[in-house]
Every structure is written in structure tokens, then in C-alpha cells.
Amino acid sequence: MTAHADASDLSLDDLWPVSALRVVSADALGDGRSLELRYLDDELVVDLARLASRGVHSPDTMPFDVPWTRGTPVEVARSVLAYQWGARSRLSPESWALELGVLVDGVPVGIQALQTDQFLVTRTVETGSWLGLEHQGAGIGTAMRHLALHLAFDGFGARAATTSAWEDNPASNAVTRKVGYERDGARTEVREGAPVEKLRYRMRREAWEARPAEQRLDVSYAGVEGTRRFFGID
């Protein structure tokens, strides 16, 4: 970025480079619809908060560590806003939770996150996500994870990606195995006051590079170089 005497002529992309981040695949779903991961500006955050308020999972399950989906529709929507605004403000080279909106043909359907501490040392990211209940069961969860891994490995140069899921969340565990992660242990944690096994998974760069042809998406990027500089990635 060119040096400036002040910031008066800088755009949002100059001041906050992650705001320009886009990852797009024209046919990740195999049906002609485009899939996009996009930085969460305020308009998109509000759209996704409204989506979450209509449901993310059945009431008798809890797929998340923090039960942010409990409450009235307004409370759920506000939880999304509060968390996303906070995550946005805490981005730094030392620690980041990069929360990206997921859009299918321009329609917001969920959020895909890449989180890490000390990425410049570990070169490891943790993936996490949620998908609006009305958009589940159509292969979007698998495709958006593929797109996130493209960004992690090809965009940011990660050496490994990790993820986890409660043992009683068959959909999440199935997506993780389908994408190609390997089991990496388990431990008992507390969820809403009860002990539940959490399953851990890892994908190393070698496995990513050896993935089958059907998992190799045609992907285009925008804002990756600026985001890399923002995070201090060589």
C-alpha cells in the first residue's frame, strides 16, 4: 500500500483490507449455482442474523459450544450481531477469527469461520460454521467447507486445518469425514451442564494436496493479498 501523509484519501479496503475478501466458486454445488465466502459487512451481518433467528437446528439438539441459538428470535439475532461485531474488532496477526458470510447465488445461507492463534508460528487454522435450517440437506455444508479449505491452504498457506464436533452431531461429523479430515482424538466436555464427547479432526497439507479430483474446485479470489499483509503472512 502506498504511503500517505494521512488517511483522508484511503478507502475501506485500504484501511481494513479484510473487507475486500471474497472467495468464489462458480459451480461448487455441481448444479450451476455459485458459492461465495464474503467478508461480513453490516448489511450482510443483519441478513444472517435474521436467517439465524428462523432456526439453525432442531430445539432438542445443541451443535455449538456456546448455546447462542437458545432464546427468542430477537435474542438469537442479537447474539449473532454482538458476536460478529466483536470478532471483527479483534482481528490481528496474533489471533483472528475470520468470519465470512456464505452466499449461494447471492443469497445469504450461513457463516463459515477460520480461527487461529499465532498462525505465523503454527500455520494451523480451525474451521467452524453454521447453516440456516432452511438451507440444510442440499450439500451446501460440504461445499462451503471445501471453499474454506481452499482459502486456508491455497490462499493463506496453512500447513494444517482442524475442526471438532460433538459426537451426537452426525451431520457435522459426516461433512468433516467426507471432506477428508482424519480423526485426531476426543475428550469429554460440558455442554449445557451435561458431559458430552467432542470429536477432534485434522487435515494436513499433504492430504489436501492429494485430495481427489471431485474436491478440486475452480476458485477465484479477491482481497487475499491485502488480507495476508494485514495478518502478517509472508
Side-chain angles (χ1 to χ4, degrees):
M1 186 171 64
T2 304
H4 294 260
D6 58 45
S8 59
D9 61 341
L10 298 181
S11 68
L12 176 60
D13 292 355
D14 292 325
L15 294 167
W16 201 248
V18 291
S19 66
L21 187 60
R22 305 283 190 278
V23 186
V24 182
S25 177
D27 194 24
L29 298 168
D31 58 6
R33 292 182 297 166
S34 67
L35 182 68
E36 178 182 5
L37 304 183
R38 182 194 301 175
Y39 176 77
L40 288 168
D41 59 22
D42 280 348
E43 181 179 0
L44 184 51
V45 168
V46 170
D47 287 342
L48 287 163
R50 291 171 176 151
L51 174 65
S53 77
R54 299 196 295 271
V56 178
H57 56 83
S58 63
D60 58 343
T61 64
M62 175 46 64
F64 306 113
D65 294 2
V66 176
W68 60 271
T69 48
R70 301 293 191 211
T72 68
V74 170
E75 289 170 338
V76 170
R78 286 175 176 166
S79 292
V80 173
L81 296 177
Y83 177 80
Q84 293 301 333
W85 287 335
R88 180 194 300 174
S89 70
R90 292 191 296 270
L91 295 174
S92 73
E94 292 73 32
S95 178
W96 38 272
L98 186 59
E99 303 275 328
L100 301 171
V102 182
L103 298 95
V104 174
D105 273 355
V107 176
V109 299
I111 287 179
Q112 176 70 60
L114 289 84
Q115 305 176 12
T116 185
D117 290 317
Q118 301 297 329
F119 179 79
L120 301 181
V121 179
T122 68
R123 298 285 172 164
T124 299
V125 298
E126 173 94 357
T127 59
S129 63
W130 63 262
L131 193 62
L133 194 58
E134 62 209 67
H135 299 289
Q136 295 176 17
I140 298 173
T142 300
M144 64 197 245
R145 185 85 68 88
H146 278 144
L147 212 54
L149 291 170
H150 272 275
L151 178 60
F153 287 111
D154 300 338
F156 295 153
R159 288 197 295 261
T162 61
T163 194
S164 63
W166 301 113
E167 66 173 355
D168 59 2
N169 186 348
S172 180
N173 284 292
V175 166
T176 297
R177 291 191 297 268
K178 184 176 181 180
V179 169
Y181 290 75
E182 297 178 348
R183 277 288 301 274
D184 193 36
R187 70 177 186 179
T188 302
E189 296 187 11
V190 177
R191 182 187 63 186
E192 296 190 297
V196 185
E197 284 287 290
K198 179 178 283 185
L199 309 183
R200 298 283 309 162
Y201 298 89
R202 178 180 296 270
M203 178 185 286
R204 292 176 172 81
R205 170 169 285 279
E206 294 78 9
W208 171 252
E209 293 178 344
R211 68 195 185 280
E214 62 269 18
Q215 295 183 10
R216 296 176 181 270
L217 305 181
D218 184 8
V219 177
S220 62
Y221 302 94
V224 170
E225 289 305 315
T227 300
R228 286 174 63 97
R229 289 192 298 270
F230 186 77
F231 289 146
I233 301 172
D234 294 334

